[in-house]
Amino acid sequence: MIPLAALTMWPMTAQADVTISDGWARASILASRPAAAYLTLRSDEDDQLIGITTPIAGHVTVHGVETDANGVSRMSAIEALKLPSGETVTLAPGGMHLMLIALTEKLEEGTVLPLTLTFASGAKIEISVPVLGPGASGPEKE
Ligand SMILES: [Cu+2]
């Protein structure tokens, strides 16, 4: 993993027409367990997030959470996350998240997680998000 000191640009800023902010991942206890990461996206044009990769996980999917009539929540994969023009789309604990599966190492608090996001427009954005503690609920606001 990359030490936090290697983080050159924070907060993350726009490239293409999509602005990404408040990205973070939650430290995981075992590499054999899936991990979750969160971020906020805002696109100036209608776009869709269609792919996410990281060198340390075999698979990254956007998950939504649905609660049925019995109050049972389950996660479902979102193949293409819609980013309507000018709308803020938030992935946060309890709701949508990035699910990292088949990790090659556990997410260690204090390191950063590199992510490459691919959009339907063809744009690609590379970001690094901080890995916060297992009990964190989000990055601290200044
Ligand atoms: Cu999930």
Side-chain angles (χ1 to χ4, degrees), residues 49-122:
L49 175 61
I50 56 167
I52 309 109
T53 57
T54 175
I56 69 145
H59 217 75
V60 186
T61 342
V62 179
H63 269 174
V65 178
E66 285 162 12
T67 305
D68 68 17
N70 300 316
V72 178
S73 297
R74 59 188 184 88
M75 303 191 292
S76 60
I78 299 170
E79 301 289 331
L81 177 64
K82 288 199 176 71
L83 304 173
S85 165
E87 243 176 68
T88 301
V89 176
T90 304
L91 280 64
M96 288 191 292
H97 52 277
L98 301 182
M99 188 112 258
L100 287 69
I101 297 157
L103 295 165
T104 55
E105 54 190 286
K106 65 177 184 172
L107 296 186
E108 199 100 46
E109 183 176 355
T111 61
V112 297
L113 169 70
L115 292 168
T116 302
L117 311 181
T118 306
F119 297 88
S121 62

